[in-house]
Amino acid sequence: MANVTVIGAQWGDEGKGKIVDWLASRADAVVRFQGGHNAGHTLVVGDKVYKLSLLPSGIVTGTLSIIGNGVVLDPWALKAEIEKLEGQGVTITPENFAIADNCPLILPLHRDLDGLRETAAGAGKIGTTGRGIGPAYEDKVGRRAIRVCDLAHLDHLEPQLDRLCAHHDALRAGFDQPPVDREELLADLREIAPFVLQFAQPVWKRLKKVRKAGAKILFEGAQGVLLDVDHGTYPFVTSSNTVSGTAAAGSGLGPGSTGFVLGIVKAYTTRVGSGPFPTELSDDVGQRLGERGHEFGTVTGRQRRCGWFDAVLVRQSCAISGVTGIALTKLDVLDGFDTVRICTGYRLHGKILDYFPSHAADQAAVEPIYEEMEGWRETTAGARSWADLPAQAIKYIQRVQELIETPVALVSTSPEREDTILVRDPFVDRG
């Protein structure tokens, strides 16, 4: 049986929560390998709705859920999320949940810095969630992070605090802010430490044992490839690598463990926050897509920008991440359109491009080249087989997979777990 790595192949918000939940019910372990609590998943199971930001989606089904070392962890956000889920009847114990002990922490000073920078940036805002993700990753690579394992050794934290505060106090002074209150920070860490440490362990060992036993592992990515710090629309990106290759480094398992790479792709395109968006629609069609798709961010509540499907961007994402097959979501949002459009290329200063350029000025200047297709009046909502889909909807799906040069593995037709058309089973199909 193959393991499965799930990534978003657009700018995030592709409907990963529903797909990961569907796969998690068939997996033996689910691993988050990058990002933080800036990535929201909404799961609909029966009559219950679960909103997750940090916990792996498998936690709702009782599947072993692991936060890997590639994640940056806000311990207070974790505690609040666990308490909320427990209030909904979800059981979370060290038996079904583990945190990598070498996972870096997001601290209040990171949230402070995130907000101060965005406020001061003016027109140069990146559009972060303000949750301290970027500053926490900066401290990780700057070798001054406080990690989960440090919570068990707070009496010996002074040298690390010296390095951390030397950096942050200088930045805070530039924003006319007082130095970090070290005593308050230590007191906060002492209070939260017992809660976090009950779940802390070298998760690479646990995953090695799980894999050796032949269990199915699901690697759960956050955000999308177009937000990758290297391959995304820089600088309007997140602070981690969101591509499938990160699953190995961010979990402690080797690259041969990641298995079938499933790219989640929305049947149209959305984006939250600032940055280029070639197919964005500021007209009634864009408004209609947003209203029908309920396009508001799970974490921030911000309205998402909407546009037609961009095959150039998705083809690029699939190539960069080695996507084996895609899961096409929210097909039902396109129901009722007389015509639907797909971006098949760009014009840039008179030249035709079949890829998205790297420079921000070029990204902002490209003009989409569209192919028009006849729409469908019938509903696709709730379809569970090809026979349930209108002929034109099937043609649309077939054209999408031709243009992105990647086959469709799943089609999702509603937020409900069972409203899914399975074309290729990621857990048994090795591509």
Side-chain angles (χ1 to χ4, degrees), residues 2 9 12 39 45 47 74 79 125 163 201 278 357 382 399 418 421 426:
V45 183
D47 60 349
D74 184 322
K79 187 172 187 290
K125 282 185 179 180
R163 290 196 300 273
Q201 59 184 269
R399 187 58 180 146
E418 299 306 320
I421 300 170

Side-chain angles (χ1 to χ4, degrees), residues 93-144:
T93 71
E95 293 301 311
N96 66 357
F97 177 57
I99 303 169
D101 58 1
N102 55 343
C103 191
L105 297 178
I106 299 174
L107 305 172
L109 55 84
H110 294 130
R111 295 195 297 270
D112 291 346
L113 182 58
D114 208 351
L116 290 167
R117 282 175 171 169
E118 279 290 276
T119 300
K125 282 185 179 180
I126 292 174
T128 76
T129 59
R131 299 194 167 201
I133 310 296
Y137 273 117
E138 289 176 38
D139 283 346
K140 173 184 177 178
V141 298
R143 295 167 292 183
R144 54 183 170 264

Side-chain angles (χ1 to χ4, degrees), residues 209-222:
K209 184 178 180 181
V210 166
R211 189 181 181 215
K212 192 173 182 180
K216 298 187 292 292
I217 302 172
L218 178 63
F219 297 92
E220 178 183 0

Side-chain angles (χ1 to χ4, degrees), residues 147-165:
R147 304 188 298 172
V148 168
C149 55
D150 294 318
L151 295 175
H153 302 276
L154 292 176
D155 290 336
H156 306 284
L157 201 62
E158 288 301 322
Q160 285 164 267
L161 282 176
D162 288 342
R163 290 196 300 273
L164 186 69
C165 292

Side-chain angles (χ1 to χ4, degrees), residues 55-71:
L55 291 167
S57 298
I59 202 71
V60 171
T61 57
T63 306
L64 172 62
S65 297
I66 290 173
I67 291 179
N69 57 277
V71 173

Side-chain angles (χ1 to χ4, degrees), residues 192-228:
I192 199 68
F195 181 84
V196 177
L197 288 173
Q198 66 178 314
F199 303 111
Q201 59 184 269
V203 298
W204 65 269
K205 286 190 67 177
R206 190 160 184 181
L207 284 170
K208 180 183 178 182
K209 184 178 180 181
V210 166
R211 189 181 181 215
K212 192 173 182 180
K216 298 187 292 292
I217 302 172
L218 178 63
F219 297 92
E220 178 183 0
Q223 292 109 1
V225 173
L226 298 176
L227 293 173
D228 184 278

